[in-house]
Amino acid sequence: MKYWQLPQAVEEVLPEQASALEALRRELLDLYKHWGYELVFPPLIEYSESLLTGLGADLDLLTFKLTDQLTGRTLGIRADITPQVARIDAHSYLKRGVSRLCYAGTTLHTRPKSLMASRCPIQVGAELYGDSSEQADIEIIRLLIETLRTSGVGALTLDIGHVGVYQAVFAAADIDQDDTDIFDALQRKSAPDLAVALQDKPAQTREWLTALMNMHGDIDTLDRARQTFGSSVPAVSQAIDQIETVIKALSAVAHDIDWYVDLAELRGLNYHTGLVFAAYAKGAGQALANGGRYDSVGQIYGRARAATGFAVDLKTLLAQGRYKANSQGAISVPAIMDTKLESLINDLRASGQIVIRALLNEHDERCDREIVLIDDVWTVRPIGKTNV
């Protein structure tokens, strides 16, 4: 048995990457703090009912479960932090009006979400509660854009949709939204499978849903959707208006963003209630961030609240962006005890310098400076420089 082997899609984080991950985590949490978002630390493990109730089968399948030795109840290891933050807002924090919360922590998945994904992503995100307006959605997406910019992500495409379009079309066509065959075909955008699933439906229904499957592309997609559904399915126009408002506002402050509209985006349908979005970078095979509106999720915890937010995986951001942690070097110090030397070391460390003792009389490879005794004074100098 090879004891050093790790489970598939579970990885170690070695010093260089760990340093960059931690630096990026701190920088992002400081960014959120400066936007007014308060930090919370939800627990790694909870009763599975609390983690999963009302959130759909997808999250249930991703969640590791085990038996609590104290109570015999089923526990779940969190696969997503967002529902925990919704519980905090609804049950524990109970702030009146708008609340802004952010977080960072490891999650665990029973299986990777995609071929390249980790089963133990480090999830970072921000959530805004108590405001159902487009202004709240705009703020969250702006913060997402700043998150990706801070992470060094270059060319950026925002994929935006609205689950209200799907819900309105299904309601107008008198189709159960839980029809798995139609849902699956739409989600995969498979025309042959959708045709089979709709073969016994009225002609108008087949026309609407086939059109919905193809409602993706540039911003002109919104005009096509309005022409197709506007008069017969008024609720679609309301959703389109919201998307247009958000795109117009964000385009005024983020000129270099490419927009992709997908009105048949069904990701997280059982969870989201309105605007949904995802961020992609050139060359990346998966979304760097996902988010959207999820009003009333907190109802099960005792307080229904308007809610919108986003989440990113710190590991994915680091791999796809160009973020570099500041490398300050280090100072090598002789492995001896001297009162004046110890005082200097303490002062240097207090000022933010890295000071490493030269055990075995060898400089650590990170050191670019050293402390030496010159004329009875402990002095910092570049390594290799002589007293002459």
Side-chain angles (χ1 to χ4, degrees):
M1 182 176 178
K2 298 179 179 178
Y3 293 101
W4 51 266
Q5 286 187 328
L6 293 171
Q8 183 179 355
V10 173
E11 63 287 317
E12 298 166 321
V13 181
L14 300 182
E16 184 176 358
Q17 186 187 29
S19 177
L21 279 171
E22 176 61 11
L24 179 56
R25 184 191 70 85
R26 293 183 184 185
E27 194 165 346
L28 291 179
L29 290 179
D30 282 343
L31 170 68
Y32 303 157
K33 177 182 178 180
H34 297 152
W35 280 55
Y37 287 74
E38 299 175 285
L39 182 62
V40 293
F41 287 97
L44 178 65
I45 192 167
E46 296 191 30
Y47 292 122
S48 59
E49 300 98 312
S50 175
L51 280 177
L52 301 172
T53 301
L55 297 177
D58 292 347
L59 191 59
D60 191 6
L61 290 174
L62 282 175
T63 301
F64 275 98
K65 303 178 185 70
L66 62 157
T67 301
D68 184 4
Q69 295 295 313
L70 297 179
T71 65
R73 294 174 62 183
T74 300
L75 299 173
I77 301 174
R78 66 186 182 198
D80 184 5
I81 299 178
T82 304
Q84 296 182 294
V85 181
R87 187 200 67 244
I88 288 173
D89 172 76
H91 180 71
S92 305
Y93 193 35
L94 295 177
K95 181 178 180 179
R96 292 182 177 274
V98 173
S99 64
R100 295 174 171 87
L101 302 176
C102 64
Y103 57 86
T106 299
T107 57
L108 186 64
H109 296 169
T110 55
R111 64 191 71 183
K113 284 187 173 183
S114 64
L115 290 176
M116 302 301 293
S118 170
R119 293 169 68 191
C120 46
I122 302 173
Q123 185 175 330
V124 179
E127 315 294 333
L128 193 157
Y129 300 97
D131 187 346
S132 60
S133 73
E134 288 91 350
Q135 290 304 314
D137 297 310
I138 291 166
E139 177 176 320
I140 278 292
I141 299 177
R142 285 191 67 184
L143 187 53
L144 168 58
I145 293 171
E146 289 301 314
T147 295
L148 298 176
R149 293 287 184 251
T150 300
S151 305
V153 176
L156 183 63
T157 297
L158 280 180
D159 183 327
I160 190 167
H162 197 298
V163 299
V165 174
Y166 162 86
Q167 293 168 341
V169 172
F170 266 53
D174 196 25
I175 296 178
D176 186 349
Q177 292 184 25
D178 295 326
D179 189 312
T180 56
D181 291 338
I182 297 177
F183 177 89
D184 182 62
L186 278 173
Q187 190 173 41
R188 292 184 293 108
K189 293 182 171 56
S190 171
D193 289 339
L194 183 61
V196 170
L198 295 174
Q199 59 185 349
D200 296 329
K201 303 296 182 183
Q204 179 67 82
T205 298
R206 295 197 302 270
E207 180 182 339
W208 277 346
L209 293 180
T210 300
L212 178 62
M213 184 185 65
N214 293 307
M215 288 295 173
H216 55 89
D218 59 23
I219 297 177
D220 291 341
T221 302
L222 298 175
D223 291 331
R224 289 196 290 118
R226 188 173 276 112
Q227 293 171 4
T228 302
F229 302 113
S231 58
S232 49
V233 190
V236 170
S237 293
Q238 297 173 13
I240 291 172
D241 289 344
Q242 289 183 14
I243 296 174
E244 285 184 332
T245 298
V246 170
I247 291 178
K248 182 177 180 180
L250 290 169
S251 296
V253 295
H255 308 288
D256 55 344
I257 300 295
D258 291 327
W259 293 94
Y260 187 86
V261 175
D262 189 349
L263 301 183
E265 173 56 69
L266 304 181
R267 169 184 44 82
L269 180 69
N270 294 322
Y271 179 65
H272 289 294
T273 59
L275 201 74
V276 291
F277 50 87
Y280 295 85
K282 185 177 181 180
Q286 59 182 320
L288 299 184
N290 292 287
R293 181 160 288 282
Y294 55 101
D295 295 342
S296 300
V297 166
Q299 182 172 2
I300 195 168
Y301 306 117
R303 187 167 70 144
R305 294 266 276 170
T308 183
F310 69 86
V312 300
D313 173 18
L314 206 60
K315 294 179 182 177
T316 301
L317 279 188
L318 196 65
Q320 297 295 337
R322 297 183 179 86
Y323 181 82
K324 298 294 182 184
N326 291 329
S327 179
Q328 66 181 97
I331 301 171
S332 180
V333 59
I336 61 175
M337 295 302 296
D338 178 274
T339 302
K340 291 181 179 179
L341 176 60
E342 291 302 310
S343 178
L344 176 58
I345 291 171
N346 290 337
D347 289 344
L348 288 169
R349 285 175 173 162
S351 69
Q353 297 290 332
I354 299 171
V355 182
I356 305 173
R357 292 193 180 276
L359 301 178
L360 302 178
N361 292 319
E362 295 179 355
H363 296 309
D364 186 284
E365 62 183 11
R366 291 167 289 173
C367 293
D368 55 3
R369 289 155 290 160
E370 62 181 343
I371 297 177
V372 295
L373 190 62
I374 301 176
D375 297 331
D376 202 31
V377 177
W378 289 109
T379 305
V380 179
R381 71 177 186 184
I383 287 180
K385 184 176 181 179
T386 64
N387 295 343
V388 180

